[in-house]
Amino acid sequence: PASIRSDCCQPGQACWPSDADVEALSNALDPGQSRSLHWLGPMHPRPAPVPMYSPGQQPLFGMNEGLRPVYVQNLTGQLGFSCATPYASEICMAATRNMPVAGWDPAFVVFPLTAAHVQTAVNFARQHNLCVSVAGTGHDYVNRHSNSGGLLIRTTLLKDIDWDPYKRGQHGGDSGAVRVGAGNNFQEVDFSAALKAPSSFVSTGWGATVGVSGWSIGGGHGPFGASKGLGVDNLLEVDIVLANGSLVTASETEHQDLLWALRGGGGSTWGVITSLTLRTHASPPGGFTQHVLVLNGTMCGDGEAQLNKTVDG
């Protein structure tokens, strides 16, 4: 893995946030507001991925209700803590994400509820020269959701689905557009879309709890790629907090260069996304048919050969 950056603030330095600084941050993030990722059961979409061995099939190893705005790592002496056991502490559970590199764990995790909260978190990091990373659902395989000893902005609670952000058909889709929060996953969006009359759909990935945000700006490969385009083809607008703390909208008419960069540039790169506007498509008259294929075996030797043969037909 790449070496950990040394130009960010480290514990013991004058720039490191004091307890009073962290308390002020927490108070600025509306601690009295409800923060919950509780899954209501099989008839409801999952609000976030479920790690292995998580109690009750709930997110964050069961620490899914009564979340606080800020979680702080208990630092003693030199930086070098880790969440090798992901449920060892509250901050480790708050930072739950897929395949982080060992030792790349944050000192602070924040759960914003609004774009203004994200701006507050970014400005806090700027004030204290903290490294910053971003995670929504945490589905990432190349460690873009991680930093060591910095601030992790967890956008999982930025959930909002608006099926009429524009006049219908303005952007060329046969069913209009939808604005979603950076914390929404595809199961939530698909569930909401199915309840519309008439129903519609968006170009999606293959995993139900994959976040719309990271998938869309990372390219966006999925089952509708050939017929409706990749995620980047369906990305119309992005509301994003930049490194200077400003909130801007990248679209075809403003900050066009930023929209171009976001269409494939990947997560934790250009800023902290707060919402996205996607092109939608009318559901076919007969609806969709789901085929489920289960293949048991290994991913090496004969097992890999059998998998490839099955997938390729």
Side-chain angles (χ1 to χ4, degrees), residues 141-271:
Y141 290 87
V142 291
N143 211 46
R144 289 173 297 193
H145 51 22
S146 301
N147 68 71
S148 182
L151 176 69
L152 171 61
I153 300 177
R154 192 97 214 204
T155 59
T156 322
L157 294 171
L158 296 178
K159 297 183 183 292
D160 184 36
I161 302 177
D162 179 2
W163 288 100
D164 192 24
Y166 303 126
K167 182 179 178 180
R168 182 177 295 273
Q170 177 178 330
H171 287 272
D174 50 17
S175 201
V178 59
R179 181 176 291 119
V180 303
N184 282 118
N185 61 56
F186 281 117
Q187 191 169 80
E188 292 173 315
V189 176
D190 290 344
F191 184 85
S192 177
L195 299 178
K196 291 174 70 259
S199 66
S200 60
F201 69 99
V202 297
S203 187
T204 72
W206 295 98
T209 60
V210 166
V212 178
S213 180
W215 179 86
S216 296
I217 65 174
H221 295 265
F224 300 112
S227 60
K228 301 301 182 183
L230 304 177
V232 292
D233 301 316
N234 287 274
L235 186 59
L236 304 176
E237 285 188 2
V238 178
D239 295 317
I240 183 171
V241 176
L242 304 180
N244 64 7
S246 62
L247 174 65
V248 303
T249 299
S251 69
E252 296 175 354
T253 59
E254 51 184 332
H255 300 287
Q256 297 96 327
D257 55 343
L258 181 56
L259 180 64
W260 179 88
L262 287 164
R263 285 173 163 163
S268 288
T269 304
W270 311 106

Side-chain angles (χ1 to χ4, degrees), residues 35-39 46-69 71 85-98 109-111 135-139 152-157 159 209:
R35 286 172 165 82
S36 175
L37 288 170
H38 183 70
W39 179 48
R46 292 187 181 276
V50 180
M52 293 180 63
Y53 314 117
S54 189
Q57 302 243 340
Q58 294 291 344
L60 305 182
F61 292 99
M63 195 186 72
N64 54 296
E65 293 187 275
L67 294 167
R68 300 196 300 272
Y71 289 86
T85 303
Y87 45 84
S89 66
E90 286 189 337
I91 190 172
C92 289
M93 290 187 282
T96 300
R97 59 211 189 280
N98 187 60
V109 177
V110 298
F111 280 95
T137 62
H139 281 286
L152 171 61
I153 300 177
R154 192 97 214 204
T155 59
T156 322
L157 294 171
K159 297 183 183 292
T209 60

